[in-house]
């Protein structure tokens, strides 16, 4: 019997490790926000201090995965350019680049903004009683991805979209950074590493360590740069090391070690004693970021040349590929769904705070997970992917053709 070929197998230069890391990062973010919203700890304790399993670290430090998304973004943005540098692909046309980005990012995002505008109960910080000018400030700033500039709009409306602000702002300067990387990959990477770390140290030494100060794109330049440099290394290895198959055992071990390193960084973070008035997430975002991002980049490079079982069966399994595909819409929606269900008291609970009702919180977690998966799948397969593939006008044309076919069939049946 002929083996069914997955779609990914037919795409030139497809890397399964990216799907795996994106899926795991999504799960980490979901566990982190679930812990914040429900206070549920995922563990089974056998006796005091001894657990069958304990996901407490992942729940408390799931925000580490934000960096994984940015590293993946830098990798994905620069990978086609790196391939063109080694004559594996055609040079990137910047007009086409921005059109593709616009098609991929905007449709699901704008759809969600429209839904939240109609149902403000689903969003944090915006209400139906808000003055039109204030409402325009929240939704308009999100529409332009400049909501990260002000405390009042950061984290409102689409509560997770502060990262999208950083992402899209990076797109604006990406052509310049890509040009530098094409000239001198190593030096450009090192320069961004130093500049970003210096800027973070300046920020953390000031009295203003609010979230709005942490949501500046220049503080994340090296995070994207880790991904860009990893993409260049993957292509360089493919074109420069002839007997890479002999190194697959080592590469598998290195990628596994990088996963362990991330785990130990979480443990390290949990044991840090913070100065008064500063929480651990600020310290991490400003001080320890290079270690974590280096681990993510190391994983990507090594996993891409690991044993096929490790890369495609473990990290590229069908569930991870599915989660990776819907990850954007899932990421956008899941936190707002928690906000909505808690505001309308579903599942019902008479306790205050509601997080003390374990039965209700178990139901809330399951409900939010199911709703996030369903909405993300619908948004991805009905909106995001069709527009990314056919464009806005192309999708309208396809819809008209489908409607015409249905009307024709309906007319024949009535006749």
């Amino acid at each position: 019997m002929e083996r069914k070929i997955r779609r990914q197998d037919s795409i030139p230069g497809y890397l399964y490790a990216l799907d795996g890391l994106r899926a795991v990062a999504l799960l980490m973010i979901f566990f982190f926000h679930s812990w914040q919203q429900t206070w549920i700890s995922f563990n089974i304790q056998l006796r005091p201090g001894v657990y069958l399993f304990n996901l407490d670290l992942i729940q408390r430090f799931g925000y580490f995965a934000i960096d994984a998304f940015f590293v993946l973004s830098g990798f994905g943005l620069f990978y086609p350019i790196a391939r063109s540098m080694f004559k594996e692909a055609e040079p990137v046309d910047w007009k086409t680049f921005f059109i593709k980005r616009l098609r991929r990012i905007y449709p699901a995002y704008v759809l969600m903004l429209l839904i939240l505008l109609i149902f403000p109960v689903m969003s944090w910080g915006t209400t139906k009683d808000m003055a039109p000018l204030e409402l325009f400030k929240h939704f308009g700033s999100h529409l332009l991805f400049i909501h990260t500039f002000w405390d009042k709009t950061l984290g409102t409306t689409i509560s997770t979209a502060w990262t999208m602000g950083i992402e899209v702002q990076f797109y604006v300067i990406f052509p310049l950074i890509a040009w530098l990387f094409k000239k001198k990959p190593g030096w450009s990477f090192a320069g961004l590493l130093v500049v970003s770390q210096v800027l973070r140290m300046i920020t953390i030494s000031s009295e203003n360590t609010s979230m709005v100060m942490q949501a500046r794109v220049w503080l994340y330049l090296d995070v994207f740069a880790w991904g860009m440099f990893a993409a260049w290394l993957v292509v360089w290895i493919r074109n420069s090391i002839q007997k890479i198959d002999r190194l697959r055992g080592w590469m598998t071990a290195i990628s596994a070690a990088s996963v362990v390193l991330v785990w130990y960084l979480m443990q390290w973070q949990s044991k840090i004693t913070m100065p008064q008035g500063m929480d651990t997430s600020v310290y991490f975002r400003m001080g320890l970021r290079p270690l974590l991002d280096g681990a993510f980049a190391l994983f990507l490079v090594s996993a891409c040349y690991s044993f096929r079982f490790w890369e495609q069966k473990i990290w590229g399994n069908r569930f991870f590929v599915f989660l990776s595909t819907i990850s954007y819409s899932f990421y956008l929606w899941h936190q707002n769904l928690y906000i909505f269900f808690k505001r309308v008291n579903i599942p019902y609970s008479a306790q205050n705070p509601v997080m003390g009702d374990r039965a209700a919180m178990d139901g809330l977690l399951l409900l939010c997970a199911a709703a996030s998966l369903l909405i993300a799948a619908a948004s991805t397969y009905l909106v995001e992917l069709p527009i990314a593939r056919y464009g806005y006008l192309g999708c309208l044309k396809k819809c008209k053709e489908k409607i015409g076919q249905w009307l024709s069939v309906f007319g024949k049946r009535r006749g």
Side-chain angles (χ1 to χ4, degrees), residues 258-298:
S258 65
V259 175
V260 175
L261 175 58
V262 172
W263 179 260
Y264 276 105
L265 286 173
M266 288 183 181
Q267 290 188 325
W268 182 12
Q269 180 80 351
S270 70
K271 296 174 182 177
I272 291 174
T273 303
M274 301 305 302
Q276 186 174 0
M278 184 186 299
D279 82 23
T280 55
S281 66
V282 175
Y283 186 86
F284 156 71
R285 290 186 174 110
M286 299 299 175
L288 301 180
R289 174 162 272 142
L291 291 173
L292 181 70
D293 300 334
F296 289 138
L298 182 64

Side-chain angles (χ1 to χ4, degrees), residues 131-172:
L133 185 61
E134 191 69 16
L135 201 65
F136 175 79
K137 181 179 180 180
H138 283 273
F139 282 87
S141 62
H142 276 76
L143 196 63
L144 297 174
F145 296 101
I146 57 174
H147 52 282
T148 59
F149 296 165
W150 303 281
D151 282 308
K152 286 187 176 180
T153 56
L154 181 67
T156 67
T157 315
I158 302 178
S159 64
T160 57
W162 67 271
T163 59
M164 292 309 304
I166 294 170
E167 178 88 8
V168 174
Q169 290 159 30
F170 181 74
Y171 292 164
V172 176

Side-chain angles (χ1 to χ4, degrees), residues 81 94 97-98 170-180:
I81 299 173
W94 289 113
F97 168 83
F98 283 110
F170 181 74
Y171 292 164
V172 176
I173 60 176
F174 176 68
L176 173 61
I177 295 176
W179 178 77
L180 293 172

Side-chain angles (χ1 to χ4, degrees), residues 25-40 42 55-66 162 281 285 334-335 338:
L26 183 67
L27 291 172
M28 287 176 64
I29 290 294
F30 181 72
F31 285 145
F32 173 60
H33 286 150
S34 297
W35 177 67
Q36 288 183 320
Q37 295 287 347
T38 67
W39 297 355
I40 294 176
F42 296 102
L55 300 184
D56 180 63
L57 277 178
I58 293 176
Q59 291 180 261
R60 290 171 57 201
F61 302 110
Y63 58 80
F64 277 30
I66 293 295
W162 67 271
S281 66
R285 290 186 174 110
H334 75 280
Q335 182 80 312
Y338 266 124

Side-chain angles (χ1 to χ4, degrees), residues 53-108:
F53 71 88
N54 186 1
L55 300 184
D56 180 63
L57 277 178
I58 293 176
Q59 291 180 261
R60 290 171 57 201
F61 302 110
Y63 58 80
F64 277 30
I66 293 295
D67 277 47
F69 281 129
F70 285 143
V71 171
L72 282 164
S73 180
F75 191 107
L77 291 173
F78 195 70
Y79 185 58
I81 299 173
R83 293 188 67 207
S84 70
M85 291 169 63
F86 289 89
K87 312 301 180 186
E88 289 186 6
E90 294 295 320
V92 172
D93 175 70
W94 289 113
K95 180 181 177 180
T96 303
F97 168 83
F98 283 110
I99 289 174
K100 285 185 176 180
R101 288 293 89 200
L102 186 65
R103 287 178 179 177
R104 196 64 191 253
I105 295 296
Y106 232 33

Side-chain angles (χ1 to χ4, degrees), residues 1-5:
M1 184 176 179
E2 186 177 351
R3 183 177 69 89
K4 184 179 179 181
I5 297 175

Side-chain angles (χ1 to χ4, degrees), residues 121-122 337-348:
V121 69
M122 299 181 71
L337 289 172
Y338 266 124
I339 293 169
F340 169 70
F341 289 131
K342 289 179 75 173
R343 279 184 171 175
V344 298
N345 200 17
I346 299 175
Y348 174 78

